[in-house]
Amino acid sequence: MLKLDFTRTEYNKICEELMLNDFQKRIFEYRIKNMSIVQMAMKENCSESLISKEINKIKKKILLTRLYEKMSKNVSSKEIENNDFEAFQRF
């Protein structure tokens, strides 16, 4: 799990860029606070599998956003795959 440290402004910008819904924003914030999936599920009163699914959706949004940004800057596909796959796995 990647430990994330953002300012409130950075967090808001990321949420806006990724177009996260309210539930995903809370999950993302819990992840930033280094909460476990079990803790998140208890806090949200839902199943762990639902939390895992939302985390995967957030990961995909992050990956797609990063890929789009790099493609618009004409970065090589090999460079995109290596860097983004590692970041995707750490989240």
Side-chain angles (χ1 to χ4, degrees), residues 7-58:
T7 65
R8 178 56 59 182
T9 305
E10 291 169 329
Y11 165 78
N12 289 333
K13 183 180 178 197
I14 290 168
C15 288
E16 184 179 316
E17 286 177 358
L18 298 178
M19 294 189 294
L20 301 177
N21 62 40
D22 290 339
F23 184 59
Q24 290 172 337
K25 286 178 186 176
R26 290 194 306 272
I27 299 303
F28 186 56
E29 190 164 328
Y30 298 151
R31 203 62 162 173
I32 290 169
K33 293 177 180 176
N34 211 24
M35 290 177 71
S36 71
I37 291 174
V38 173
Q39 290 170 321
M40 290 183 228
M42 289 173 55
K43 190 160 182 123
E44 289 294 325
N45 195 26
C46 65
S47 68
E48 294 171 33
S49 63
L50 179 60
I51 298 293
S52 294
K53 287 176 187 175
E54 291 303 315
I55 288 172
N56 284 330
K57 288 178 187 178
I58 295 167

Side-chain angles (χ1 to χ4, degrees), residues 47-80:
S47 68
E48 294 171 33
S49 63
L50 179 60
I51 298 293
S52 294
K53 287 176 187 175
E54 291 303 315
I55 288 172
N56 284 330
K57 288 178 187 178
I58 295 167
K59 284 180 181 181
K60 287 178 186 176
K61 287 182 178 187
I62 291 169
L63 182 61
L64 290 172
T65 301
R66 292 187 70 193
L67 286 173
Y68 178 76
E69 287 173 0
K70 289 187 178 183
M71 287 173 61
S72 66
K73 294 178 183 175
N74 294 324
V75 176
S76 73
S77 60
K78 196 175 241 185
E79 189 177 342
I80 290 171

